[in-house]
Amino acid sequence: MDINITLERPEGSPQSGPVTVGWFYHDDKSSIMMFPPERVSFRGANKGHSKSASRCPGVVQLESRYFLVRCPYDLHIGFARDDKGQARLVNRAGDRGGVRSGKLGSILHLVNEAEWRYPDKPTVQLGLGYCFVSEEVCYISQIDSFAHYRPVPLPGTIFGGRFPIHAWVRPLMWAFEWHDTTKDLILKRGDPLFYCQFEADGPDRPVQVVEVERTPDMERWIASMTGVASLMNQTFSLFRASEAARPKNLLVRKG
C-alpha cells in the first residue's frame, strides 16, 4: 500500500512567505540601554575566495536563522557564602561598576538554592524583558551564543529553553548555571548573551523579526499569563487556553 501526502502553501496564504516574529520590551523602564535583537552576521569575514566558509550556502543559511541578544550591562560578580552558609552574590566591581550595588538585585538574582539542578552549581538569572510573539504556529529556542568567541570563557553554562510564542508570551531572561564558583562571572555591555532560533511551518521559509507595539489587546492577553508559573506547575498545560484567548490582530509594527 502506498500513501502519498502533498503539502501545498499557495501563494498569498499566511504560510507562503517569510515567518514574521514580533518582539517588544515587557516594559519601557531603562529600555533605551537595551540592544534590539539582530540577525547573526560576521562583518569583515573573508569572501574573496569562492571556497571560503563565509560564502558557503550551508554556513550562511545556518547563521541567518539565529538572532542575537546582547548584554546591556557591565557586571563583575563573585559567588560566596556568609557565616551562616547562605549563598550570596558579591559585586566585585564595587564603586567602580556601572551598576550600583543597590540596583544589582533588581536585574540579577541568585535562584533559591533548593531549586538548583545540582547542589554545587548555583543558578543565576539576569532579567532582560525581551518578549517574542507570532500570529502563526512558531516556537522559539533560546541557546548559547556558540558562534561568538569569548576571550575569557564563562565559568559555567547557560540554560536554554523552547516554547511556542504563538500561544505563550513571557519576558526572556538569561539563566546561568555556575559550574566553577572559584571564578567570577564577568559580562561586558555589548557581549553576546544568547541566540534565538524560530521554528514554524516550513523549514525552507526565511524568518523576519520586527519590533511591534504593545497594544491594549496585547497587554490584556499578556496579563492573563503573568505570574502563573508561581501559582502552578506544568504551565505548558495552559497553552491551548492561552492560544484560544489570543487577539486576532496581534502584530502591529512599531513606527
Side-chain angles (χ1 to χ4, degrees):
M1 178 172 54
D2 295 331
I3 299 176
N4 296 315
I5 298 176
T6 302
L7 178 64
E8 295 183 356
R9 291 196 297 273
E11 186 176 350
S13 74
Q15 286 78 33
S16 65
V19 179
T20 301
V21 172
W23 75 273
F24 58 94
Y25 297 117
H26 191 253
D27 62 59
D28 294 326
K29 186 177 181 180
S30 304
S31 63
I32 196 170
M33 69 181 297
M34 301 293 182
F35 296 93
E38 59 189 86
R39 195 182 298 272
V40 171
S41 64
F42 296 93
R43 297 190 180 100
N46 173 30
K47 296 184 179 181
H49 197 287
S50 63
K51 303 300 183 182
S52 169
S54 58
R55 295 182 63 176
C56 171
V59 173
V60 173
Q61 271 279 321
L62 179 72
E63 292 176 349
S64 70
R65 291 180 174 273
Y66 291 113
F67 292 82
L68 166 68
V69 172
R70 296 183 180 274
C71 182
Y73 312 109
D74 287 312
L75 298 171
H76 185 169
I77 307 298
F79 175 83
R81 291 187 180 275
D82 61 21
D83 54 2
K84 295 181 180 179
Q86 296 295 312
R88 64 187 183 94
L89 298 179
V90 180
N91 184 11
R92 303 283 195 212
D95 294 338
R96 294 170 291 125
V99 180
R100 293 179 185 272
S101 294
K103 290 290 186 181
L104 188 61
S106 65
I107 61 171
L108 184 74
H109 79 276
L110 186 65
V111 173
N112 187 303
E113 191 165 353
E115 299 176 20
W116 299 354
R117 281 204 301 184
Y118 304 102
D120 59 338
K121 296 177 177 60
T123 300
V124 177
Q125 292 180 336
L126 177 65
L128 294 169
Y130 294 91
C131 293
F132 293 89
V133 65
S134 175
E135 288 182 340
E136 63 174 290
V137 174
C138 186
Y139 280 70
I140 185 174
S141 293
Q142 184 182 0
I143 58 179
D144 195 10
S145 51
F146 60 85
H148 282 80
Y149 173 70
R150 292 183 184 273
V152 180
L154 297 176
T157 58
I158 82 157
F159 272 109
R162 181 177 182 271
F163 63 93
I165 57 173
H166 64 280
W168 199 258
V169 177
R170 64 173 179 83
L172 294 186
M173 64 180 66
W174 184 76
F176 178 74
E177 194 167 67
W178 209 326
H179 284 240
D180 187 352
T181 55
T182 66
K183 296 180 180 178
D184 292 346
L185 172 61
I186 300 174
L187 298 173
K188 299 292 185 183
R189 175 172 164 80
D191 280 354
L193 269 185
F194 59 85
Y195 297 159
C196 295
Q197 183 182 27
F198 302 97
E199 307 164 69
D201 176 28
D204 57 320
R205 296 168 63 197
V207 178
Q208 59 179 4
V209 175
V210 299
E211 189 173 8
V212 297
E213 298 280 0
R214 295 197 317 267
T215 63
D217 283 344
M218 175 90 82
E219 296 278 12
R220 283 191 289 271
W221 187 48
I222 294 172
S224 71
M225 302 174 241
T226 300
V228 298
S230 299
L231 302 173
M232 66 174 290
N233 295 325
Q234 303 301 324
T235 55
F236 273 41
S237 64
L238 299 175
F239 287 170
R240 183 171 294 181
S242 177
E243 185 178 4
R246 186 182 65 203
K248 184 176 181 180
N249 298 312
L250 197 59
L251 302 187
V252 178
R253 296 200 183 197
K254 196 165 187 177

